Amino acid sequence: MKAVNPRAAHLGLAMRCVAEQAGAISRAGISAATGLNRSTASSLIDELLAGGLVREVGATTRSQRAGRPGTALGLRDDGPAGLGIDVNVDYTAVCVVDLTGAVRYKHVVAEDQRGQGTREVLDRIARLARGAQNAAEADGLVLCGSAVAVPGIVDRRSASVTLAPNLGWHDLDVAEVLPADVHGERAILDNEANFAALSEEELIRAGASYLYVSGQIGVGAGIVLDGRLYRGAHGWSGEIGHLTIDRDGPECPCGRRGCLERYAGHEAILRAANIMSGAGTTLGVSPTADLIAERARSGDSCTLAALAKAGQTLGFALAGCLNLLDVGTIVLGGIYRDLAPWIGPEVQREVRAQFVGARWARPEVRASTYGAEAPALGAARSVVRDIINDPSRWLARL
């Protein structure tokens, strides 16, 4: 077992206090909140100040002990930053956030990546990463690491994609083309729904338990229990899109039949709404949730029926998840966020009908805080969160 460095642990404790109460806590306040003596708390803050992680914001705040107010502390927005990349079927997004979690750079490239060579896609990812790094450096930031969101099963230990069926990827090393962190370690890799779930910072801070459902070409879920992401024994949790709805149903790219995504995914909704024909579309482009929503608002009966059916099927599957997990909130992300006015009520009805605890507790069904940028944002913030939890890693490079 790896020995715990007390100084590193105390630095992380002080850093988290500053992050959670930015602009409203002083050295004395950190001492009171952590139980550390005042001289230790002050020494820790001096180290964080010298390392460019914390700043004195100028305003004062009343300490939790008797005496005059102390100088308030906050996180720096001109030091380390995190790079998040979302590689999806029909787009790639990059996002840079600073230590405060604020977005400093964002860029999205829309392109259907199915059938493309893996080298071509990896080269595109590398170019986008370099562009984000250059933009960050021009803004006075230093990238302290990168994280990649992928729609599939990943091996976090080797930072490789085990299987991403809708991209046609298996056993692929994505991290090789990305910038290493400040210690030369490889990029973090995770499922896109997991990173999207981590973008819901309000729920995480509240220690909530929720299921984040991401609707894209496929359907994924991020499971958060008591404010912490649950990945499962092998990191495969949340593959809700491959729950079997009908074992004799249509074939899925994963190799099985009747998976949920074949009934409630983006392409399934397009087909049911007669917007898509075969592998192409009636418009000659890849329709977005905006188009589906526009048709629904106009009262198109075919689109409304397609959304109702998708919501019912999704709700049926989610009710089963609630019977197992008993979480308090369902967050609709990806295309479901934009289609929530039509899909949300159907999900709610199915949950109330199928969830055994519905008589006593009614889980909230809500739209996600962020749209398509959620996975890249959550990925970037996960990098920054690692610095906040363990600032000694950043300080060691100085």
Side-chain angles (χ1 to χ4, degrees):
M1 181 180 292
K2 186 177 180 180
V4 177
N5 182 325
R7 182 71 175 180
H10 289 161
L11 281 167
L13 191 59
M15 186 76 170
R16 287 191 294 277
C17 282
V18 175
E20 291 165 5
Q21 303 182 57
I25 194 166
S26 65
R27 287 173 169 80
I30 289 173
S31 173
T34 63
L36 298 170
N37 64 52
R38 286 199 176 197
S39 62
T40 298
S42 183
S43 172
L44 293 170
I45 293 302
D46 286 341
E47 192 170 346
L48 295 174
L49 286 166
L53 298 175
V54 168
R55 63 164 37 124
E56 295 177 328
V57 298
T60 58
T61 180
R62 177 69 59 183
S63 74
Q64 296 184 30
R65 299 186 182 187
R68 64 183 182 181
T71 303
L73 302 163
L75 298 175
R76 294 190 70 101
D77 60 3
D78 59 352
L83 168 64
I85 302 173
D86 178 19
V87 185
N88 224 296
V89 176
D90 51 5
Y91 71 88
T92 303
V94 292
C95 178
V96 174
V97 302
D98 63 30
L99 206 54
T100 70
V103 177
R104 303 293 291 271
Y105 176 83
K106 182 173 68 174
H107 184 56
V108 180
V109 176
E111 187 165 356
D112 191 338
Q113 303 189 112
R114 285 167 292 192
Q116 293 193 21
T118 54
R119 177 47 56 185
E120 183 179 355
V121 177
L122 290 176
D123 287 346
R124 183 181 303 117
I125 295 170
R127 288 195 300 272
L128 290 171
R130 285 195 298 271
Q133 185 171 20
N134 292 337
E137 292 173 353
D139 206 18
L141 302 170
V142 178
L143 286 185
C144 58
S146 56
V148 189
V150 178
I153 297 172
V154 305
D155 184 338
R156 285 172 51 82
R157 292 170 300 178
S158 64
S160 62
V161 179
T162 302
L163 177 66
N166 288 317
L167 286 169
W169 290 359
H170 60 86
D171 301 321
L172 180 66
D173 188 347
V174 177
E176 67 172 349
V177 302
L178 298 172
D181 72 5
V182 294
H183 291 279
E185 294 184 10
R186 293 158 61 82
I188 303 167
L189 201 62
D190 211 336
N191 178 270
E192 58 91 15
N194 283 345
F195 276 138
L198 293 178
S199 71
E200 298 291 324
E201 291 208 324
E202 180 182 345
L203 289 173
I204 290 174
R205 288 198 192 101
S209 295
Y210 60 96
L211 190 64
Y212 184 104
V213 189
S214 178
Q216 302 290 350
I217 302 301
V219 182
I223 303 169
V224 178
L225 303 177
D226 299 327
R228 292 180 174 272
L229 184 67
Y230 175 75
R231 293 188 174 89
H234 304 93
W236 303 340
S237 69
E239 288 296 329
I240 188 175
H242 299 292
L243 289 179
T244 301
I245 300 301
D246 179 0
R247 63 189 303 168
D248 296 318
E251 188 175 355
C252 179
C254 76
R256 298 163 66 243
R257 287 188 171 274
C259 293
L260 174 64
E261 71 175 48
R262 306 303 292 164
Y263 298 89
H266 190 186
E267 291 186 341
I269 295 172
L270 292 173
R271 283 193 299 270
N274 284 333
I275 298 175
M276 173 172 265
S277 176
T281 72
T282 57
L283 302 179
V285 296
S286 177
T288 66
D290 292 337
L291 172 59
I292 302 172
E294 180 183 338
R295 292 197 176 191
R297 281 190 293 266
S298 71
D300 180 74
S301 59
C302 193
T303 300
L304 291 173
L307 290 171
K309 184 62 176 176
Q312 290 162 11
T313 308
L314 181 62
F316 180 81
L318 288 172
C321 294
L322 289 179
N323 285 331
L324 179 66
L325 298 172
D326 186 26
V327 297
T329 304
I330 293 172
V331 181
L332 300 177
I335 64 165
Y336 297 146
R337 176 180 186 265
D338 300 318
L339 303 176
W342 302 278
I343 284 181
E346 300 296 338
V347 170
Q348 188 76 74
R349 272 190 284 272
E350 283 294 318
V351 165
R352 289 177 180 176
Q354 302 294 335
F355 174 43
V356 295
R359 285 181 57 192
W360 306 278
R362 296 213 172 159
E364 178 189 10
V365 178
R366 57 184 275 186
S368 61
T369 306
Y370 302 97
E373 72 272 25
L377 178 60
R381 284 181 173 169
S382 73
V383 175
V384 167
R385 196 173 292 118
D386 285 345
I387 293 292
I388 291 174
N389 287 331
D390 186 8
S392 64
R393 288 173 54 80
W394 169 264
L395 297 174
R397 71 183 289 276
L398 303 177

